[in-house]
Amino acid sequence: MDLYDKDVVSIRDFTRDEIESILDLSQEMVPYALGEKTDRKLDGRILGNLFFEPSTRTKLSFESAAYRLGCDVIDVSEMSMTSISKGETLADTIKMVDAYCDLIVLRHPYEGAARLAAKFSENPVINAGDGAGSHPTQTLLDLFTMREAKGTLEGLNIVLVGDLKYGRTVHSLADALTMFGAKLTLVAPDSLQMPDDIVSHLESNGCHPRKTSVIDDVIDQADVLYVTRIQRERFPDPAEYNKVAGTYRIDNAMLREAKSDMIVMHPLPRVGEIAPEVDGTRHARYFKQAFNGVPVRMALLCAILGGGRS
Ligand code: CP
């Protein structure tokens, strides 16, 4: 794997071998992510964390990953606190931040923002979510979580549920799972199904997903039930959101139909798609999934910044 000095804009920028190498390195990072071992291989480096949309997991797990490796962090959490609010362009902002750090992590409300940032930054840029576009580092931690639970990524039966139109995590994840021969089922209201261009990409790579709007029809076949929030903030018309809000809710009664080793994942935050009663079942993996963001992002920081190369 050679990710040294490389951008991470889309999961499509990775080969299957590169993904597997990152997951292997992530596994090695687990005791460091837990604080059981220490290694300050990124001492003296600076991460620039630019979050122009709300985040709990992605922002804090990047910070945790950096600090665990001895890397310092500078950050912005609100566009209104930067000179963008005075009219500065994203391109100029990126050029400035680029001068202050060694690696930029960017979350932005507009699809394509990370690609643009990568064009204007000399240092590498990691896409931490660009509008309804993609979220490649979430995909890596999702794959890590699946491999950890199932022992393999090969040929899994994955059911993606919820907002497949605006949910960037499922866009990246479907692309990646196709590289591993997954059988995909797409469960969504018709108005929130996976965009045609992404389905065409999956099909051109040999994956022919099944589409339905009914979870009960498919839950018994799933190895992984990947649930997503309906992305209220992306709907141009609030009335359209109200028509689909609350469409899906996973509860223990529904899980009685599932395989005993089926896992429930969710990128979080959840707003009612998974009943709290599920948290205590053997199926629940979403909080472990969120923790896995730390070792996976540690692996990425090391690979991109060259930790260990000295
Ligand atoms: N999964 C995820 O991206 O969560 P945050 O929005 O809290 O970062």
Side-chain angles (χ1 to χ4, degrees):
M1 172 180 61
D2 190 4
L3 291 181
Y4 180 65
D5 211 26
K6 296 247 173 81
D7 301 312
V8 176
V9 174
S10 164
I11 202 71
R12 293 181 190 175
D13 299 338
F14 290 83
T15 64
R16 176 184 159 139
D17 284 349
E18 284 172 336
I19 290 174
E20 287 183 323
S21 296
I22 294 165
L23 302 189
D24 291 343
L25 184 56
S26 304
Q27 189 61 51
E28 291 173 30
M29 292 292 168
V30 170
Y32 300 94
L34 289 167
E36 294 168 357
K37 292 185 179 176
T38 54
D39 186 340
R40 299 182 62 80
K41 63 176 58 148
L42 297 184
D43 193 16
R45 314 304 296 274
I46 299 177
L47 168 68
N49 234 4
L50 299 184
F51 277 72
F52 296 139
E53 264 196 342
S55 169
T56 298
R57 280 146 289 275
T58 313
K59 182 172 186 295
L60 295 182
S61 63
F62 263 114
E63 287 178 7
S64 177
Y67 287 127
R68 292 283 192 205
L69 292 163
C71 179
D72 288 318
V73 181
I74 55 174
D75 76 294
V76 166
S77 296
E78 282 187 48
M79 219 176 288
S80 63
M81 298 301 287
T82 72
S83 288
I84 289 178
S85 65
K86 302 176 206 164
E88 188 164 56
T89 62
L90 178 63
D92 280 0
T93 302
I94 291 296
K95 284 185 202 166
M96 294 301 97
V97 178
D98 185 31
Y100 306 145
C101 66
D102 302 302
L103 168 66
I104 294 174
V105 173
L106 175 68
R107 172 167 290 189
H108 198 280
Y110 297 140
E111 198 169 333
R115 187 72 71 192
L116 182 137
K119 193 172 143 193
F120 286 95
S121 176
E122 296 284 327
N123 284 308
V125 171
I126 296 179
N127 179 6
D130 60 332
S134 67
H135 196 348
T137 67
Q138 177 73 40
T139 292
L140 293 169
L141 75 91
D142 291 343
L143 296 176
F144 183 79
T145 305
M146 289 178 196
R147 193 178 78 162
E148 184 179 57
K150 298 289 167 191
T152 181
L153 290 171
E154 203 62 53
L156 292 175
N157 201 332
I158 314 281
V159 176
L160 305 178
V161 181
D163 184 348
L164 309 186
K165 178 179 180 182
Y166 295 119
R168 56 194 171 203
T169 66
V170 282
H171 298 165
S172 304
L173 183 58
D175 278 347
L177 286 168
T178 296
M179 295 185 211
F180 292 91
K183 297 176 204 64
L184 289 184
T185 303
L186 308 176
V187 182
D190 288 346
S191 62
L192 295 181
Q193 259 298 352
M194 189 69 86
D196 289 343
D197 63 312
I198 296 178
V199 174
S200 296
H201 182 79
L202 303 180
E203 289 177 343
S204 67
N205 286 287
C207 174
H208 298 276
R210 174 181 172 189
K211 291 184 186 174
T212 176
S213 59
V214 183
I215 299 181
D216 289 335
D217 288 351
V218 296
I219 196 167
D220 60 331
Q221 298 139 40
D223 297 310
V224 177
L225 187 70
Y226 190 99
V227 186
T228 62
R229 175 177 68 89
I230 296 183
Q231 309 272 305
R232 179 169 48 85
E233 66 275 26
R234 312 249 180 257
F235 280 72
D237 179 356
E240 291 303 310
Y241 170 75
N242 290 332
K243 282 186 199 163
V244 289
T247 304
Y248 301 114
R249 181 171 171 84
I250 311 300
D251 59 18
N252 284 350
M254 191 179 270
L255 292 174
R256 279 203 283 274
E257 303 301 318
K259 293 182 191 174
S260 62
D261 62 349
M262 186 273 277
I263 60 168
V264 179
M265 296 176 61
H266 192 308
L268 303 178
R270 63 175 159 178
V271 289
E273 308 82 40
I274 302 177
E277 66 182 13
V278 177
D279 299 359
T281 70
R282 63 182 175 276
H283 301 292
R285 281 293 164 135
Y286 28 92
F287 293 119
K288 183 67 168 46
Q289 179 185 356
F291 163 74
N292 285 339
V294 181
V296 169
R297 289 174 174 130
M298 288 175 79
L300 275 175
L301 296 183
C302 284
I304 294 169
L305 289 174
R309 287 168 177 253
S310 66

